Amino acid sequence: MGCSFCICVQLEATVLLNSSYDISRELFTALNSEFVVEWQRKHPNDKLLIRQSHAASTKQVMSVLHGLRADVVTYNQFIDVQTLYERGRLIPFDWQKRLPNNSSPFYSTMIFLVRKGNPKNINDWHDLARDGIKLIFSNPKISGSGRYAYLAAWGVISQKFKGDQNKIRSWMSKFLKNVEVFDIGGRNATTTFIERGQGDVLISFESELCNIINQYKTNDYEVVIPKVSIFAEFPVTWIDKNVDKNGTREVAIDYLNYLYSKSAQEIIVKFYYRVHSINLMRKNMNRFPVIRMFKVEDYFGNWQTVMDIHFSVGGELDQLLKNGRCYAFNN
């Protein structure tokens, strides 16, 4: 009888599915717990279950386009969400205007993690193309964090060489030659660096690397903060066609608006994501060192141009890789 009762409750519950990027598991586990309590307080007769789906962001987009009935998406790049409009018409063209800050409730940037004592003396992006440096980051073809790592390096070096394309490409070839493993996603790259002991430098989101230091509670690693890096938005939206089929429009919209609430923003900051609240950032300034950030639009036009020029088949990334050696791709 007890088991039957549990199944009955499960069937009657409203289920909200969040399709998200690879390294956001812990963040959304914490946010979901608080939102469920808040939802139950407002809707005592509507039991809510929030399910999470995580993988490299581009793989997540393809899953939704191929039929995954996600109610909301919480990704780490504009282009991945926009693809849901471009290729599936699952959301409206102006989805970015539905929530504050271009529908991005928080943001981050790319930094480095090195071994204890920083034995390779890594201090900034310029050091990453030196001979003998082994880099770990995720595959820019399918992963948001990999794409940001590549674009951050290109943008910083573009400043140094004042836009000289030959010098930029030469430096980028050396940078990519130093990649020991292109992992399938951000969390896989972390596993390769931490648990398999590969590489001298792990490049990933500030949130991921600072949380690693806290999680492992060892002195085996050091965070290196570059002077300049890239501004990484984390856009969210509800999927109109899915929430109408699933009957979850109200809870999906409420859930994403909750991400902008004071209580949610305080949780987000604890996971080392930056927020747009000046007061909250001042309160947590010890967690967020000053980094000069540039936007994708500052150097690359827009995201569609980025995808066409750099990450399409035969694009800049493929050409630069062709100039180097063979790479290890973890699948």
Side-chain angles (χ1 to χ4, degrees), residues 175-190:
F175 169 74
L176 291 170
K177 279 183 182 177
N178 282 346
V179 177
E180 185 172 23
V181 176
F182 272 136
D183 263 297
I184 194 170
R187 185 53 54 85
N188 295 73
T190 299

Side-chain angles (χ1 to χ4, degrees), residues 237-256:
T237 195
W238 60 91
I239 304 178
D240 297 73
K241 286 200 173 180
N242 287 353
V243 297
D244 288 340
K245 288 178 183 174
N246 298 338
T248 52
R249 177 174 283 272
E250 180 185 359
V251 64
I253 294 173
D254 214 34
Y255 177 69
L256 295 183

Side-chain angles (χ1 to χ4, degrees), residues 137-193:
F137 59 93
S138 52
N139 185 351
K141 287 272 189 178
I142 58 172
S143 164
S145 64
R147 239 172 256 154
Y148 277 124
Y150 171 98
L151 295 173
W154 187 292
V156 170
I157 294 308
S158 180
Q159 293 177 26
K160 177 181 179 181
F161 293 131
K162 302 184 187 308
D164 185 318
Q165 295 297 301
N166 289 332
K167 290 181 179 177
I168 294 169
R169 289 192 178 97
S170 175
W171 189 93
M172 286 297 294
S173 289
K174 294 177 182 175
F175 169 74
L176 291 170
K177 279 183 182 177
N178 282 346
V179 177
E180 185 172 23
V181 176
F182 272 136
D183 263 297
I184 194 170
R187 185 53 54 85
N188 295 73
T190 299
T191 299
T192 295
F193 187 80

Side-chain angles (χ1 to χ4, degrees), residues 119-130:
K120 296 297 179 74
N121 193 29
I122 303 298
N123 297 299
D124 216 327
W125 291 97
H126 310 92
D127 298 318
L128 302 183
R130 293 199 325 248

Side-chain angles (χ1 to χ4, degrees), residues 197-259:
Q198 292 182 248
D200 302 308
V201 186
L202 171 63
I203 309 173
S204 190
F205 291 116
E206 178 182 47
S207 50
E208 172 76 350
L209 300 189
C210 289
N211 282 318
I212 287 171
I213 296 290
N214 283 345
Q215 179 183 341
Y216 284 85
K217 299 187 184 306
T218 71
N219 296 319
D220 293 340
Y221 314 102
E222 295 179 14
V223 167
V224 174
I225 307 296
K227 294 176 183 175
V228 182
S229 194
I230 196 165
F231 179 82
E233 290 184 304
F234 290 74
V236 303
T237 195
W238 60 91
I239 304 178
D240 297 73
K241 286 200 173 180
N242 287 353
V243 297
D244 288 340
K245 288 178 183 174
N246 298 338
T248 52
R249 177 174 283 272
E250 180 185 359
V251 64
I253 294 173
D254 214 34
Y255 177 69
L256 295 183
N257 275 294
Y258 156 75
L259 300 180

Side-chain angles (χ1 to χ4, degrees), residues 254-268:
D254 214 34
Y255 177 69
L256 295 183
N257 275 294
Y258 156 75
L259 300 180
Y260 292 86
S261 68
K262 183 181 178 184
S263 59
Q265 295 270 294
E266 287 176 343
I267 292 173
I268 289 166

